């Protein structure tokens, strides 16, 4: 029997605010000493009263608009009750039946084809404290509790079960990650834990309309982990069903080292959380004027920018997708074009793309750096390419100059002069090298005259060797052909 995989993702993103969700404590907890960014509110002390962070609500509205959601005019907070050591007060302030945003969608692209994936809801809640698990040398285990993270504004984006493969799930997650970064609501750094993904997955016989029993997967801290965990879990569920077993609704954890999912606990339902309206917070009325104001401030989204790069700049779809995956890289690229020819041509645009996705990407990866950290200014990269286009530097020379630029931040002209790098485009200078190459290689010359056209490449190679690679290849090729053809007369 063939099976269909059904996947829905739940993504949590910590929001970029100065203070926490319901108190005035700083939300910048990452580098703070344990349990120092705390107050009675985020510690869950009895008798305290929370206050809603307006900027956090604005960020969720902003995200909802970017995901084509309906923004509620009326919303409220609820208590989500569950016992766990990282939740000191025994409940989390979240949203249940009236989220800020709902009924949205987002385009995803897999193997060159695009389709729409639904977004169920975008709601707001508080993050929990952080448990640090330790094991003594003699095997006894214990946990440490760092409360600093408790109360940080957390946005949850719940996707519809519209994804049908781990590839589609990865495409959904990467697109959502780009959108969140573009609109400036979260750093969305998975390694730091401020962008986290849980996946719900089930399998069913092909042609079946009813959903199978879903399993939730947690503990995935990279796009690669999400992909591998979903691949494993789909195969596991199919194997269980084909062996005559049944799937149990549960939460499973991804163990990266062993590349397997393991059972953690049976999955709770909404009734287990005993949701009820948060009595310490008033309902929120979201005005249409506020929504329209936020809508007007949205930037160009990554998929729209990609389409523009393809249609207006005539870039290949592959280049456009890579360039727009990170807003800072796309901004840098457009700054390079701005500093280029007054009327940017397709060749220059493609050359700039090649620099960004080639040498720039290589050096960034090599140094573990972000584009915001590079010393090379966009106008300097444009100047370098103009030197190549003008024949001053060969592509090989330009790569050498670029490495120096990346290291020092110096201008390409200064580096080329200091390194003695310049391309010989003077016709007389190249002619002398061509005449020498022809005189020293009578055999290959006769082969060319006899009709062996490919021999011309050897003669050009000799010219480049004589000029130590400094001859302009186009000029050298033209003169070699002219001189050889003249010998036929």
């Amino acid at each position: 029997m063939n099976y269909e995989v059904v996947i829905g993702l739940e993504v949590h993103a910590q929001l970029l605010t100065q203070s926490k969700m319901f108190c005035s404590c700083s939300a910048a907890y990452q580098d703070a000493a344990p349990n120092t960014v705390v107050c009675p509110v985020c510690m869950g002390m009895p008798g305290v009263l929370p206050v809603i962070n307006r900027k956090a609500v604005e960020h969720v509205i902003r995200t909802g608009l970017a995901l084509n959601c309906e923004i509620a005019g009326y919303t409220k907070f609820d208590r989500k009750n569950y016992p766990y050591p990282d939740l000191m007060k025994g409940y989390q302030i979240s949203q249940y039946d009236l989220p800020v945003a709902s009924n949205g969608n987002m385009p995803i692209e897999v193997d060159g084809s695009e389709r729409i994936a639904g977004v169920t809801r975008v709601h707001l809640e508080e993050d929990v404290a952080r448990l640090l698990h330790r094991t003594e040398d003699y095997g006894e285990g214990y946990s440490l509790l760092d409360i600093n993270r408790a109360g940080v504004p957390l946005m949850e984006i719940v996707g519809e079960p519209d994804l049908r493969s781990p590839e589609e799930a990865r495409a959904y997650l990467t697109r959502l990650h780009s959108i969140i970064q573009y609109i400036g609501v979260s750093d969305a750094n998975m390694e730091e834990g401020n962008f986290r993904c849980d996946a719900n997955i089930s399998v069913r016989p092909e042609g079946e309309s009813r959903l199978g029993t879903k399993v939730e997967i947690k503990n995935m801290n990279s796009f690669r982990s999400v992909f591998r965990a979903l691949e494993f879990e789909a195969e596991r569920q199919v194997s269980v069903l084909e062996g005559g077993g049944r799937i149990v609704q549960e939460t499973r954890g991804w163990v990266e080292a062993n590349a397997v999912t393991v059972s953690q606990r049976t999955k709770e339902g909404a009734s287990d959380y005993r949701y009820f309206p948060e009595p310490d917070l008033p309902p929120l009325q979201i005005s249409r004027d506020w929504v329209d104001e936020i809508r007007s401030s949205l930037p160009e989204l990554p998929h729209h920018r990609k389409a523009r790069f393809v249609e207006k700049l005539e870039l290949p779809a592959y280049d456009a997708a890579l360039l727009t995956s990170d807003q800072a890289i796309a901004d840098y690229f457009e700054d390079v074009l701005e500093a280029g020819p007054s009327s940017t041509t397709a060749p220059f645009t493609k050359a700039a793309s090649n620099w960004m996705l080639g040498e720039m990407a290589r050096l960034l990866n090599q140094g573990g750096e972000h584009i915001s950290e590079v010393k090379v200014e966009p106008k300097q990269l444009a100047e370098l390419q103009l030197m190549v286009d003008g024949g001053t530097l060969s592509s090989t020379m330009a790569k050498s100059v670029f490495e120096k630029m990346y290291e020092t931040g110096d201008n390409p002209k200064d580096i080329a002069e200091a390194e003695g790098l310049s391309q010989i485009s003077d016709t007389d200078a190249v002619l002398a090298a061509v005449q020498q190459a022809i005189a020293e290689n009578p055999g290959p010359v006769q082969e060319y005259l006899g009709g062996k056209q490919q021999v011309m490449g050897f003669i050009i190679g000799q010219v480049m060797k004589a000029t130590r690679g400094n001859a302009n290849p186009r000029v050298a090729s033209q003169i070699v052909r002219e001189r050889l053809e003249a010998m036929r007369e």
Side-chain angles (χ1 to χ4, degrees):
M1 182 182 296
N2 293 324
Y3 289 87
E4 180 181 51
V5 179
V6 179
I7 299 169
L9 299 184
E10 298 176 5
V11 175
H12 288 86
Q14 288 180 350
L15 297 174
L16 284 172
T17 58
Q18 292 185 343
S19 59
K20 291 186 180 181
M21 184 63 224
F22 299 115
C23 66
S24 59
C25 288
S26 172
Y29 70 92
Q30 293 282 4
D31 298 321
N35 301 317
T36 57
V37 189
V38 296
C39 75
V41 174
C42 53
M43 292 177 70
M45 295 293 186
V48 296
L49 289 175
V51 177
I52 299 170
N53 187 323
R54 177 185 173 92
K55 177 59 75 170
V57 177
E58 178 183 321
H59 282 338
V60 175
I61 296 172
R62 191 172 177 83
T63 304
L65 291 172
L67 298 177
N68 303 306
C69 290
E70 301 168 7
I71 306 301
Y74 175 93
T75 184
K76 65 179 176 65
F77 287 92
D78 301 278
R79 287 191 181 183
K80 180 181 182 181
N81 299 271
Y82 64 92
Y84 202 70
D86 61 8
L87 198 62
M88 291 76 64
K89 56 182 180 270
Y91 64 86
Q92 179 188 35
I93 301 178
S94 182
Q95 291 190 297
Y96 178 47
D97 57 332
L98 294 174
V100 173
S102 58
N103 299 324
N105 60 73
M106 181 180 67
I108 62 171
E109 184 176 325
V110 178
D111 296 331
S113 61
E114 189 173 272
R115 72 179 190 82
I116 301 298
V119 173
T120 309
R121 56 191 281 142
V122 185
H123 69 255
L124 189 54
E125 59 192 22
E126 59 180 335
D127 210 343
V128 296
R130 187 172 173 227
L131 284 173
L132 306 172
H133 303 291
R134 300 286 187 264
T135 304
E136 296 286 4
D137 293 338
Y138 48 82
E140 290 293 324
Y142 64 94
S143 296
L144 300 174
L145 182 66
D146 182 3
I147 306 175
N148 286 345
R149 190 176 71 179
V152 169
L154 194 65
M155 173 175 66
E156 182 172 1
I157 302 165
V158 181
E160 288 285 307
D162 289 344
L163 309 174
R164 294 295 178 264
S165 69
E167 289 81 7
E168 288 192 359
R170 179 168 55 190
Y172 176 99
L173 193 59
T174 53
R175 175 61 59 82
L176 181 59
H177 183 264
S178 292
I179 289 174
I180 287 174
Q181 285 190 325
Y182 263 68
I183 63 178
V185 300
S186 174
D187 285 332
N189 189 321
M190 291 191 83
E191 292 181 357
E192 293 182 357
N194 54 38
F195 185 83
R196 312 195 288 268
C197 176
D198 299 333
N200 293 303
I201 178 172
S202 64
V203 298
R204 62 186 178 188
E206 282 190 354
E208 175 65 63
S209 59
R210 290 187 306 169
L211 294 173
T213 302
K214 70 178 179 181
V215 168
E216 183 180 36
I217 310 175
K218 290 182 175 289
N219 303 337
M220 301 171 291
N221 59 6
S222 69
F223 297 137
R224 180 173 179 268
S225 293
V226 173
F227 180 83
R228 294 178 67 206
L230 289 170
E231 270 198 325
F232 174 86
E233 183 60 22
E235 292 175 4
R236 185 193 72 83
Q237 291 188 24
V238 169
S239 178
V240 169
L241 293 175
E242 289 188 338
R246 66 183 185 88
I247 305 300
V248 178
Q249 183 173 334
E250 62 179 339
T251 297
R252 298 179 70 87
W254 170 246
V255 182
E256 182 72 35
N258 300 328
V260 298
T261 63
V262 295
S263 182
Q264 292 182 324
R265 62 180 183 270
T266 56
K267 177 63 177 171
E268 299 92 344
S271 59
D272 295 307
Y273 293 123
R274 306 189 319 280
Y275 281 102
F276 65 86
E278 170 56 61
D280 292 334
L281 291 172
L284 284 178
Q285 300 280 353
I286 300 176
S287 74
R288 295 304 92 183
D289 289 343
W290 190 24
V291 173
D292 291 340
E293 179 185 335
I294 297 171
R295 191 194 310 274
S296 67
S297 69
L298 284 176
E300 183 181 32
L301 298 178
H303 43 291
H304 298 152
R305 200 173 199 179
K306 177 196 167 188
R308 176 168 61 83
F309 279 12
V310 172
E311 295 167 11
K312 302 294 185 183
L313 301 182
E314 301 179 29
L315 281 176
Y318 178 79
D319 289 32
L322 291 178
L323 288 169
T324 56
S325 62
D326 185 299
Q327 185 180 27
I329 289 177
D331 289 345
Y332 188 104
F333 171 71
E334 295 216 67
D335 287 343
V336 173
L337 300 188
E338 185 70 24
S342 55
S343 177
T344 304
T345 60
F348 183 88
T349 302
K350 182 64 172 95
S353 173
N354 290 344
W355 279 114
M356 295 295 299
L357 303 179
E359 292 301 296
M360 181 72 83
R362 179 179 68 83
L363 293 174
L364 285 171
N365 291 335
Q366 185 175 296
E369 297 171 310
H370 186 258
I371 190 71
S372 60
E373 302 173 84
V374 301
K375 298 176 181 178
V376 182
E377 296 290 335
K379 63 180 181 181
Q380 293 175 315
L381 184 53
E383 183 181 349
L384 178 63
Q385 182 55 39
L386 290 173
M387 292 173 72
V388 175
D389 294 343
T392 305
L393 292 176
S394 67
S395 58
T396 302
M397 292 175 184
K399 288 180 180 180
S400 178
V401 170
F402 181 76
E403 288 203 13
K404 289 287 185 180
M405 291 168 61
Y406 192 91
E407 179 183 340
T408 66
D410 292 340
N411 290 324
K413 286 184 180 178
D414 296 338
I415 294 173
E417 289 177 5
E419 299 288 325
L421 296 172
S422 62
Q423 193 165 246
I424 303 171
S425 296
D426 179 72
T427 303
D428 292 339
V430 177
L431 177 60
V434 171
Q435 290 174 329
Q436 178 184 340
I438 290 175
E440 292 177 356
N441 296 278
V445 169
Q446 290 303 314
E447 289 182 32
Y448 176 85
L449 297 175
K452 199 171 182 180
Q453 297 287 320
Q454 60 266 37
V455 174
M456 191 177 79
F458 172 79
I459 303 296
I460 295 171
Q462 297 304 301
V463 174
M464 300 303 293
K465 182 178 179 181
T467 60
R468 297 182 180 179
N470 290 340
N472 186 314
R474 293 193 297 272
V475 175
S477 177
Q478 180 182 349
I479 295 176
V480 167
R481 183 177 297 278
E482 288 175 354
R483 299 302 295 178
L484 289 175
E485 290 300 321
M487 295 177 70
R488 295 182 187 276
E489 301 173 356

